[in-house]
Amino acid sequence: MTPSFALPRSLPRSWLWLGLGLLVFAACLVGIFARPIGFLSAFWPANALLLGVLVRYPAIARPAAWGSAAIAYVAADLLTGSSLGMALWLNGANLLSVTVGWLVLRRLSEPVLRLRRTVSAMYLLLAALAASAAGALAGSGAAPVYFNSPWTDLLSLWFSTELMNYMLIVPVVLAAPRDDDPPSPVRGAPLFWRVAPVGSLLMAEGIRGLVGGPGVLAFAVPGLLWCALSYSTFVASLLSLVVCLWTMAGVAMGVLNFTPAHAGDVFSLRVGVTLLALGPLAVACASAARAETLRRLDHAVRHDELTGVLARRAFMRQGQRLLTRYGRETAGVAVLMLDIDHFKQVNDQHGHSAGDQLLIGITQAMATALRAQDALGRMGGEEFAVVLPEVSHAEAQAIAERLRSAVAQHPFEVAPGGQRLHATVSIGMVHSASMSGDADIDTLLMAADASLYRAKTEGRNRVAPA
C-alpha cells in the first residue's frame, strides 16, 4: 500500500523535481567536503535524504525525479574535481542503493512508514541493510581502480556509512511534522518535564567528557530513551541524529581516519552508532503506536459507532462543560433535540441497512450545518441532540432552521444501486436564558424534548422553541 502523504498543491511537478535535484546536489556537496583526501566521504547524507523524500512523497517518484537526482549526483562530483568515470561509477552505486531501499519501503502501509507501528524501526533497519549492501557491492569494485586499495576495504566502509546514514536521517524525514499529527506528548506538561529529557543528554555529554574511554558511546542511551518516551518521533529522531553524529565525531577525532588504514575500527564505530540510534527509534515507534491505539480507543468510547458523532455519555459531559462555561454569559447556550420523522417506516419498508445509511447521511448533513464549537450527539435510535454555545435565542433558532432545511433539501443515498430517500427532522429548542441559572444539561434536554414533542404534534418538519 502506497502512503498518501500530501504534496504542496501550488507547485508544479517540474519545480518539485528541480527542488529535489537541488536538495541532492547540496547534500552531495556536504558529503564531498567531508571526504578525507583520496577516499570516500566520512558522512554522505544524500542517499538517505533522497530515499526519505521519495518514500514520504511517492507521487514525486517518477522517472523525472530519478533523472534529476542522477544529474545532481554527477554534477556535484564533476564540479569538485572528480573524473567522469569515477563520478558515474560511484553515483550509479548510490542510485542503486536508494532504489533498493525504495523498493523495500514503498509497499509498506502508511502507519508503518509514519513510524507509528512497533515494527516500523525493524522494517526501516531491513531496508537500510538491503540498500547499504546493494550500494556497497556495486561501488566496492572502484577501490582498486580509483583509490589503490582492496575492494573489501571499500565494501566495509561503504556499507557501514550507508547503514548509519539511513538509520539516522530517513526517520527524521519520514517523521517530520504534518498537519494531521497528534498533539505533542509533552504539550501542557510542566516546564521541567518538557526540558528534562534534553537536559539528560547534555548531562551525559558532560560526563562523557570527564570519564572518557571506549564506553562513552553508550553514555547517551538513557537520555535518548527518555526523549523517545517523552517527545514526538520526529523530535526523538532528530535528537538521535545530532547526538549520534556528535558522538561519532568525538570518538573519531584524533583517533580515527576514515580511510582503509582504519577500516575495521571505522566499521565498528559506525555500526555501534547505528545500533545506538536503533534503540531510541524502536522505543519512539512503540510509544507512538501505543499513543495512537489509546486515541482510537478513546474515540471509540466517546463516539457513536455508526454515525461518528458523540455518544450519549460523552455528549452529556461535553454539554455540561459548555453550559457551565457559557450558560451565564450574555449570549448563553441553546440546546436542541432532533428526531427523524417517520424513521420506523424507513426500516420497515427498506430494511435496517437503509435506515443505517440514512442515519449516517443525516448526521453528515447536520454536521455541515453546525459551527465548529457546537456539540452534536446521538442520544439513541433516531434521536440526536445539539448544544450551541454563545448564541442568542434568535441565533439559535436560525441555526435550528438551517439544520432542518439541510436535512429536508438533501436526498440521501441508502443503497449501492443509488436508491435515494428524502427525510425530515423535527426539532425542539430551549435557551438557557429561559431557564433558572442553576439548570444543568439534563434539565435543558428535558425542556428541549418537550418542545420536540410539540413540534411533532404540530405536523413535524419544523422547529418548536420553548
Side-chain angles (χ1 to χ4, degrees):
M1 173 183 174
T2 301
S4 55
F5 299 154
L7 284 169
R9 296 183 178 180
S10 59
L11 291 177
R13 288 288 169 83
S14 58
W15 284 94
L16 293 174
W17 291 327
L18 176 61
L20 179 66
L22 292 175
L23 175 67
V24 172
F25 180 79
C28 287
L29 292 181
V30 171
I32 289 169
F33 292 130
R35 284 176 178 169
I37 297 176
F39 206 65
L40 295 180
S41 175
F43 175 63
W44 186 259
N47 296 358
L49 279 173
L50 178 59
L51 176 60
V53 170
L54 293 178
V55 171
R56 175 167 175 156
Y57 302 110
I60 293 181
R62 299 290 184 266
W66 292 98
S68 177
I71 292 172
Y73 274 118
V74 175
D77 261 341
L78 293 180
L79 289 175
T80 52
S82 296
S83 66
L84 178 61
M86 185 173 74
L88 293 175
W89 190 332
L90 297 183
N91 290 305
N94 285 329
L95 283 170
L96 175 63
S97 176
V98 175
T99 301
V100 170
W102 179 73
L103 290 173
V104 174
L105 293 175
R106 65 187 292 263
R107 297 187 180 276
L108 299 178
S109 66
E110 182 174 341
V112 172
L113 292 179
R114 293 184 72 163
L115 307 184
R116 293 183 179 178
R117 293 293 182 268
T118 54
V119 297
S120 294
M122 298 312 299
Y123 276 121
L124 189 58
L125 177 61
L126 291 174
L129 287 169
S132 303
L137 288 171
S140 59
V145 178
Y146 295 106
F147 303 112
N148 194 29
S149 63
W151 70 273
T152 52
D153 289 343
L154 184 57
L155 179 71
S156 68
L157 291 172
W158 191 308
F159 174 83
S160 61
T161 189
E162 286 285 73
L163 181 64
M164 181 190 69
N165 292 334
Y166 283 133
M167 291 304 296
L168 291 179
I169 296 174
V170 173
V172 176
V173 178
L174 296 183
R178 302 174 177 84
D179 292 338
D180 61 344
D181 281 343
S184 170
V186 295
R187 191 179 72 172
L191 178 62
F192 173 80
W193 295 110
R194 294 201 299 268
V195 303
V198 174
S200 69
L201 292 178
L202 297 175
M203 184 182 299
E205 179 59 31
I207 296 173
R208 181 165 57 191
L210 292 173
V211 176
V216 297
L217 192 65
F219 279 21
V221 170
L224 288 174
L225 292 177
W226 193 1
C227 291
L229 290 169
S230 303
Y231 302 137
S232 68
T233 308
F234 169 70
V235 173
S237 300
L238 187 61
L239 288 172
S240 287
L241 171 64
V242 173
V243 169
C244 289
L245 290 181
W246 180 257
T247 299
M248 187 182 72
V251 173
M253 192 173 297
V255 178
L256 294 178
N257 189 10
F258 293 88
T259 62
H262 296 88
D265 292 335
V266 171
F267 180 87
S268 176
L269 172 61
R270 284 172 171 164
V271 172
V273 168
T274 301
L275 296 178
L276 174 63
L278 178 61
L281 177 61
V283 171
C285 293
S287 181
R290 176 180 174 275
E292 185 170 325
T293 299
L294 291 175
R295 285 192 297 271
R296 288 202 303 268
L297 288 173
D298 179 67
H299 185 275
V301 169
R302 297 179 66 249
H303 291 78
D304 177 60
E305 182 179 5
L306 177 65
T307 62
V309 300
L310 291 172
R312 182 185 179 91
R313 182 177 297 178
F315 173 82
M316 297 293 285
R317 289 197 297 266
Q318 177 69 2
Q320 185 59 52
R321 281 195 292 267
L322 292 173
L323 180 61
T324 301
R325 181 175 179 182
Y326 299 106
R328 291 182 173 84
E329 294 188 1
T330 304
V333 172
V335 173
L336 311 179
M337 287 291 292
L338 306 91
D339 188 86
I340 302 174
D341 299 325
H342 305 296
F343 182 73
K344 185 176 183 300
Q345 295 180 12
V346 176
N347 284 333
D348 293 342
Q349 296 175 11
H350 302 281
H352 287 278
S353 177
D356 287 347
Q357 293 304 311
L358 182 61
L359 283 171
I360 294 171
I362 289 176
T363 303
Q364 293 172 346
M366 291 192 298
T368 59
L370 291 172
R371 305 168 302 168
Q373 64 267 40
D374 300 332
L376 171 62
R378 185 183 181 191
M379 308 305 285
E382 68 273 23
E383 197 169 58
F384 296 84
V386 178
V387 175
L388 307 173
E390 295 186 289
V391 291
S392 66
H393 190 283
E395 291 169 336
Q397 188 157 356
I399 294 174
E401 284 289 350
R402 191 166 71 224
L403 284 171
R404 184 200 61 76
S405 178
V407 175
Q409 297 178 8
H410 194 294
F412 298 100
E413 186 173 322
V414 297
Q419 182 184 9
R420 294 175 179 269
L421 295 177
H422 286 270
T424 60
V425 293
S426 299
I427 303 176
M429 188 194 88
V430 65
H431 194 275
S432 60
S434 63
M435 309 293 291
S436 64
D438 59 350
D440 60 11
I441 188 65
D442 286 299
T443 304
L444 268 67
L445 284 170
M446 289 176 62
D449 195 51
S451 297
L452 171 62
Y453 178 78
R454 193 174 75 252
K456 284 187 168 294
T457 59
E458 292 177 354
R460 296 184 172 87
N461 189 25
R462 65 190 61 221
V463 177

